[in-house]
């Protein structure tokens, strides 16, 4: 019998069909968006952090004439400064826009003198300004005294780690790292403990009003992080209602930042922990009861291990939110510096963009590390529910229910109280001297901050972000999940989609300045427009929407695509007729998530707005800076009511739309 053997040779790859080409093209386009909107700006900022600018006095030679017009021997400004010592080494350090007047090297300079001056560069890179005219020449240029006093040197760019050395050698700046880590750690611990107690009460008790408490717990998501800072000023500030309760301690500083941080991070931690507690298996508790384990021991041996991944994830999410937040420390932080405030001070206060880039890179490290550890922990999480699992059903226990009810009421008073005091402050004529009610604080056009245009700009930004962002995110997730093969490309795209979660808003905003504000960038025309705000906001909140879309798409049977192909239907017909209707609940969730966050974000846009694109959240910041705290509270409440209204509309629209498109789920 002859031996049969398979033919050998090169493996023939299946030819890529038209749908495959279009899918890869779409994935490439959205990947290009993420590269331009995230990767390139971050790279530009990293490069900027290693850029140093200083005045190199060896590059300039000067000759001075006597009154008869005879010039003396040329001398470099370096040699001249060595003789008279008027400019120190610290003064020679500068930034991109720095200037150094040349008359500083001539203490007896008199612009009425008949003396004449000649200036030239000793190298081809010796820029200096004569008024606003830039000069850079190795030829002698002659000036009279009046013109000479208008000459200023320009710094020369070099690369190195000098910015980092300067940052870590400055005790005031370096202390910001310690302050940020301390505040984030304390806030994370308190938030996780409080949120766990709240979530435990909702999931493991039979107490009443659970839906009300869930709604209250979500309220902080609807307001910018500046609002709790404003509320704390009215409650515990120098003229606060309950100032005496602090027993001499000041709310302006770490105490205020921690209290406010717990407020705005509470719902994020609660959502994650609630999800972890909701998947418990009833059989484990029955086994513990049959072994006569005490409730305390059952709690530590069954409940906590079952929820450990949720607790860890909640801790890292909270830590990241606190350490990267800018609004709250700006309002209530006082003189207590943190990293996010340092970025703002370096960029806005001192116009030192290079040092701002350094602080941004430093802030990026703990945020990225927390994100990485969280992702690794989630990879280790195993399924706690099997097909044989029995969902946990709490048993009535009056005493336990009273304790749970008391805790939820206490946390609800804290949350509602923060928002209520802001609304009250927004209606007071003049705190604390005239407590009569008025709508004067809503006359935004009479105050600094952008007026009512800022509010309408925010609605426009939020709407565009919800529409455009949801479309980009869902299509990108679809291409990743439903494209055959192309494993490397899909993996790289997924990495790009996950990257925004690890980038703080202020870091992204500053990176946009360096990248889009460059005159050599062909996209420079979008700088200062609504377009760049939309791009920044969509990019900043891209990851959560991407994960939501992926979760929905993974629930769809993979057989739909082969069936559509066998029927010779293009993928976009399947996408519009089947995939989008099935995933409509997730799409609506992504859209409201993008809308709400676009209304409340401050850090991602604080560097990017112009006079024509001022936003409501930025207006809150500007009015607070100007001392108009009550109008700032009023604008913050407008954001809250807008987001609450959007949530209600989303809920009713979802019910109406889903009733028509999701009937198949009930069959």
């Amino acid at each position: 019998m002859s031996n049969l053997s398979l033919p050998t040779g090169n493996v023939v790859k299946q030819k890529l069909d038209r749908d495959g080409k279009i899918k890869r093209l779409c994935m490439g386009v959205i990947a290009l968006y993420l590269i331009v909107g995230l990767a390139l700006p971050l790279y530009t900022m990293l490069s900027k952090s290693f850029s140093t600018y200083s005045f190199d006095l060896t590059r300039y030679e000067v000759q001075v004439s006597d009154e008869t017009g005879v010039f003396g021997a040329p001398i470099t400004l370096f040699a001249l400064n060595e003789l008279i010592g008027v400019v120190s080494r610290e003064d020679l350090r500068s930034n991109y826009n720095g200037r150094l007047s040349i008359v500083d090297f001539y203490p007896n300079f008199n612009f009425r003198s008949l003396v004449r001056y000649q200036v030239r560069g000793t190298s081809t890179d010796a820029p200096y300004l004569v008024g606003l005219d830039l000069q850079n020449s190795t030829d002698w240029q002659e000036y009279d005294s009046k013109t000479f006093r208008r000459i200023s040197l320009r710094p020369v760019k070099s690369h190195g780690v000098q910015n980092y050395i300067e940052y870590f050698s400055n005790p005031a700046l370096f202390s910001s790292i310690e302050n940020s880590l301390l505040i984030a750690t304390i806030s994370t611990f308190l938030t996780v403990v409080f949120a766990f107690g709240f979530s435990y009460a909702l999931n493991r008790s039979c107490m009443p009003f659970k839906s009300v408490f869930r709604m209250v717990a979500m309220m902080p998501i609807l307001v910018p992080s500046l609002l709790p800072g404003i509320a704390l000023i009215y409650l515990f500030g120098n003229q606060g209602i309950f100032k005496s309760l602090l027993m001499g301690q000041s709310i302006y500083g770490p105490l205020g930042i921690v209290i406010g941080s717990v407020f705005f991070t509470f719902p994020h931690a609660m959502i994650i922990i609630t999800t972890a507690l909701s998947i418990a298996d009833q059989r484990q508790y029955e086994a513990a009861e049959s072994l006569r384990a005490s409730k305390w021991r059952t709690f530590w041996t069954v409940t906590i291990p079952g929820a450990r991944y949720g607790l860890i994830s909640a801790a890292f999410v909270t830590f990241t939110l606190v350490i990267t937040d800018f609004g709250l420390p700006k309002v209530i932080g006082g003189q207590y510096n943190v990293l996010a405030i340092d970025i703002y001070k370096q960029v806005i206060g001192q116009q030192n963009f290079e040092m701002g880039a350094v602080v941004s890179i430093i802030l990026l490290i703990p945020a990225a590390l927390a994100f990485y550890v969280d992702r690794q922990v989630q990879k280790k999480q195993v399924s706690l529910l099997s097909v044989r699992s029995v969902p946990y059903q709490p048993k009535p226990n009056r005493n336990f229910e009273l304790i749970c009810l008391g805790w939820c009421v206490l946390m609800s008073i804290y949350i509602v109280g923060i928002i209520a005091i802001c609304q009250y402050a927004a209606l007071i004529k003049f705190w604390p001297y005239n407590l009569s009610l008025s709508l004067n604080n809503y006359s935004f056009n009479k105050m600094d901050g952008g007026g009512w245009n800022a509010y309408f700009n925010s609605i426009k930004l939020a709407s565009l972000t919800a529409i455009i962002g949801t479309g980009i995110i869902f299509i990108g997730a679809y291409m990743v999940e439903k494209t055959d093969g192309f494993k490397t490309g899909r993996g790289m795209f997924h990495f790009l989609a996950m990257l925004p979660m690890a980038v703080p808003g202020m870091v992204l905003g500053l990176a946009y300045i360096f990248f889009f504000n460059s005159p050599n960038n062909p996209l420079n025309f979008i700088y200062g427009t609504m377009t760049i705000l939309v791009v920044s906001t969509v990019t900043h909140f891209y990851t959560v929407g991407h994960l939501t879309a992926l979760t929905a798409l993974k629930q769809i049977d993979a057989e739909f695509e082969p069936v559509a192909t066998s029927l010779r239907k293009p993928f976009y017909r399947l996408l519009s007729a089947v995939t989008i209707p099935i995933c409509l609940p997730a799409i609506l969730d992504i859209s409201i998530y993008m809308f709400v966050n676009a209304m409340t974000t401050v850090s991602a846009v604080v560097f990017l707005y112009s006079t024509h694109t001022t936003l409501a959240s930025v207006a809150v910041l500007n009015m607070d800076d100007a001392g108009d705290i009550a109008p700032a509270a009023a604008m913050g409440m407008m954001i809250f009511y807008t987001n609450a209204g959007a949530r209600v509309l989303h809920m009713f629209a979802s019910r109406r739309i889903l009733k028509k498109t999701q009937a198949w789920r009930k069959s």
Side-chain angles (χ1 to χ4, degrees), residues 451-462 530 614-616 635:
W452 278 102
N453 284 336
Y455 172 71
F456 293 116
N457 282 339
S458 280
I459 294 180
K460 181 179 180 181
L461 170 65
M530 182 61 70
T614 306
L615 302 173
M635 183 65 85

Side-chain angles (χ1 to χ4, degrees), residues 133-146:
D133 296 328
L134 182 65
Q135 301 290 330
N136 191 3
S137 174
T138 56
D139 297 329
W140 286 109
Q141 305 292 325
E142 187 173 332
Y143 305 100
D144 58 22
S145 296
K146 291 183 179 180

